[in-house]
Amino acid sequence: MTTRKFTIKVPATSANIGPGFDVVGLSLSLTLTLTVSHTQFTSPQSVESHPSSRTSPPSPPKISYSGEGADEVPLDAYKNLTTRVALYVLRCNGRPHFPAELTIHVHNEIPFGRGLGSSGAAVIAGVLLGDALGEFKLSTSRLLDYALMVERHPDNVTAALVGGFVGSYLRELSREATEAASVPLAEVLPEYPPDAGEAWGQDPPSPPEGIGHYVRFKWAPEIRAVAIIPQFELSTAKARDVLPLAYTRKDLVFNLQRLAVLTTALGQSPPDPDLIYEAMKDRVHQPYRKSLIPGLPEVLSSITPASHPGLLGICLSGAGPTILALATSGFEAIALSAKEVFKEAGVEVKWQLLTIASGGSSVAYGE
C-alpha cells in the first residue's frame, strides 16, 4: 500500500488590532507545523457510496509533540483538538476513521492562552489535516466552513487560513442553515468516553456552505509586529465574560470610525504614525479587560509615537494578555519600555519581533 507524506504549516494570529473586535485578524510569523505520514486509503470514493467498503478502524494515530505546550497537549487522537477536527472533516466526507499507520509530529511555536491564536491554528491545522488525509481538495471557502463549525468567531481562523491582514464576517444564513451552523460544539466534536464504540460520533452535522466571508486588506511591507507576551495564560472565555452585553452609541461610533481608517492606513507606504496610533484605539473590549491584565492601561497609554519613534500603534492582541505593537523601527526600545511597565505591575514578560505571514497556511506534499 502507498505511503503518503506531507507537512502542514499554520501561522499564529492576532485578532481585533484595536477597534476591530471580532472583525479583523493578522497572521504572524510563529508557526504550528504538522509532519504527517500514513497509508493511503484504498479508494478515494466515499464509503457512503459503497457500504461494503466499510472496514474496522485501523490502530489509533501516533502523535508526538514538541515546542510550546508540549507538556499540556493530549497525544490521544480522540482527545487532541487538531485530530478531532480532522476526524470531523473525514466523517463529513464519508470517511469514518483515520487512515492506517497515521503518524503525526507536531512542532508548535505559538504560546497557549496568550492571545496569539493558538486554538485557531489548531483548528485550521485539523481542517487541513482532514482534507489532506481524505484527498478531498476542498475549496478555501469550504475549509473555512468546517473551521467555523468549531471556532465560532471568524477573525483568527480566517487570518490563519488565508494569511495577511484580513476582515471577515459571518453571513446571515437561511433559517435552516443558521440552525445547522449553530449546533452545540459537543455534537460537532463529541467527547470520546473510554467505552466509545466504532459508531461513536459517526454522523456529525455537516456545515452549511458559505458560513463566513472575508477580504484581505493591503499591508505596508515595512510594518513589523512586536509581541510583548506576559508569562501567564488568559482564557478567551474568561476575557469575554468581562465584556458588557450592550454598548453606548458613542462607543460603537468611536470604534467604527477608527476601524474604517485603520484598514486602509496600515496598507499605505510610508505609514502615518499619528493616523494609525489614534485609529488603533478601542472602547469595546480593551477597557473592560484591564482588570485581567495588570499594567495594561499604563502600557497602552505610555508608549506613543512621540515617546518611541518608529511606533505606529499599540493594542491588546486578541483576548490578551499579549500586547501587539506595530512599528517600522525602534522595536527593542518599545519592548523594553513595555517590559518595565509590566515589571512595576508584577508581571514578567518576554518579547518577540514578528513579521506578517502573508501566505497563510500551507500543505506541502513529499514523496
Side-chain angles (χ1 to χ4, degrees), residues 116-135:
L116 290 169
S118 59
S119 63
V123 169
I124 291 298
V127 171
L128 294 174
L129 177 60
D131 182 52
L133 291 175
E135 301 181 69

Side-chain angles (χ1 to χ4, degrees), residues 73 80 104-105 107 116 153 230 238 244 249 275 299 351:
V73 174
N80 180 282
I104 305 168
H105 177 70
H107 182 70
L116 290 169
H153 306 284
K238 186 175 181 180
R249 179 188 299 176
L275 185 67
V299 170
W351 71 278

